[in-house]
Amino acid sequence: MKRPRNLTRQEKDYIASFRLNPFNWLISKKLTDSWLIVHRETGRSRTIPAP
């Protein structure tokens, strides 16, 4: 797996719309229909729909 990266301002706003704290999440993979985000501390992954 590639190294997860930090979020841009627009990505932070989008992740916050899912009631998640954007400071705790990193983007691991961006697909056309979904994003794979990884928790910064626990390593737990989650998939959210792409905007």
Side-chain angles (χ1 to χ4, degrees):
M1 175 171 34
K2 282 186 164 182
R3 182 171 178 238
R5 64 177 185 79
N6 290 326
L7 305 172
T8 63
R9 183 83 209 130
Q10 294 168 341
E11 292 167 345
K12 285 180 186 178
D13 293 339
Y14 183 66
I15 288 178
S17 72
F18 287 95
R19 300 180 140 246
L20 299 172
N21 185 351
F23 297 106
N24 291 335
W25 295 91
L26 300 168
I27 290 186
S28 178
K29 201 181 278 190
K30 269 186 156 178
L31 303 173
T32 56
D33 60 341
S34 63
W35 290 358
L36 179 66
I37 57 175
V38 178
H39 195 272
R40 192 180 291 266
E41 295 173 1
T42 63
R44 190 175 125 223
S45 62
R46 185 175 208 168
T47 303
I48 59 172

